[in-house]
Amino acid sequence: PSVYLTATRHANGRDWWVLVPRSYPPDFHLFLLDPSGIHYQGTQTLGDSAKYVFAAHTCFSADGSKFIKNWGSGLYVYDFDRCSGQLSNPIHLPYDSTYIGGGVVTSPNSRFLYLFNFTQIWQYDFWATDFAGSRQTVAVHDGFLSPFETGFFQPMVAPNGKIYSISSSTNNILHVIHHPDEPGLACGVE
C-alpha cells in the first residue's frame, strides 16, 4: 500500500476527491469525501508500474485538472476529471537523477509544474505545445550546509501564493519561489 495520498475539490465545489496511488500494481484508489463521510469509489489502473518506491511525492494542480506524481521511474502527469474522479491521458517523463523524491508542486495559476530533485528545481509549462520539452532549470543547489546539505525537498504552496521547500534532515533552511506564476528564472527562487 501507499501513503502518497492527496486531495482536490470536486467540481461541485463542496465535496473532495482523495486519490491514493500505488506503485505495484500501477493503480489508484479513489475516495469521495462528502458531508455524510468518506466513500470508496474503487480503483483505476493506468500507466506504468514502479516495483519499488523509496521516496515519492504527489499533488494536484491548483485548479484540480492535473494529477502529478514524482515516482521511482520518473515524472507522471495525468488529466483529472473533477466530476467523475477519473484519470486520463498519462504522460511519463523519465529523468536522470540520483534523488527521485524531492517533490512536485504546481503554481497557483496551474500553468507551471515544479519538479524538485534535491539538487535542482525544474519548471515545466502546461501551456507549452511540447510539455516535455518545456523543462527549464530554475535553480541548482549550491552545496550550502546548515549543518547538513540543504537541498530542495517537499515543496508546498503557501497562502501568500509563494512556494516553500524544506531541506531534508534537521536543517533550519527554507527555500522559496517568490513568483511561481512567472516563467523561467523570473519565478525568483531563493
Side-chain angles (χ1 to χ4, degrees), residues 41-147:
Q41 303 294 301
T43 61
Q44 182 180 2
T45 301
L46 188 65
D48 299 330
S49 64
K51 293 190 183 201
Y52 178 72
V53 176
F54 170 70
H57 199 245
T58 64
C59 74
F60 279 100
S61 58
D63 65 6
S65 67
K66 303 281 186 195
F67 173 75
I68 303 105
K69 63 180 185 174
N70 181 24
W71 218 244
S73 55
L75 180 69
Y76 292 81
V77 179
Y78 305 85
D79 289 337
F80 185 74
D81 184 320
R82 291 177 52 225
C83 292
S84 69
Q86 294 300 295
L87 298 162
S88 61
N89 304 318
I91 298 171
H92 176 224
L93 301 175
Y95 62 87
D96 294 327
S97 176
T98 304
Y99 304 100
I100 61 166
V104 288
V105 66
T106 66
S107 58
N109 68 0
S110 296
R111 177 178 178 180
F112 298 108
L113 168 65
Y114 292 91
L115 172 60
F116 288 57
N117 75 0
F118 199 77
T119 60
Q120 297 178 76
I121 300 174
W122 295 322
Q123 182 192 69
Y124 291 86
D125 188 345
F126 284 120
W127 296 0
T129 304
D130 177 11
F131 174 73
S134 72
R135 185 175 95 180
Q136 295 185 56
T137 301
V138 295
V140 176
H141 185 258
D142 61 5
F144 183 73
L145 304 175
S146 182

Side-chain angles (χ1 to χ4, degrees), residues 140-188:
V140 176
H141 185 258
D142 61 5
F144 183 73
L145 304 175
S146 182
F148 304 107
E149 192 172 12
T150 58
F152 310 116
F153 192 61
Q154 295 184 342
M156 295 294 287
V157 177
N160 66 1
K162 296 182 180 189
I163 294 174
Y164 292 90
S165 162
I166 64 169
S167 299
S168 62
S169 199
T170 57
N171 293 324
N172 60 355
I173 298 298
L174 287 177
H175 305 284
V176 62
I177 301 177
H178 291 284
H179 311 288
D181 290 336
E182 298 296 325
L185 296 177
C187 71

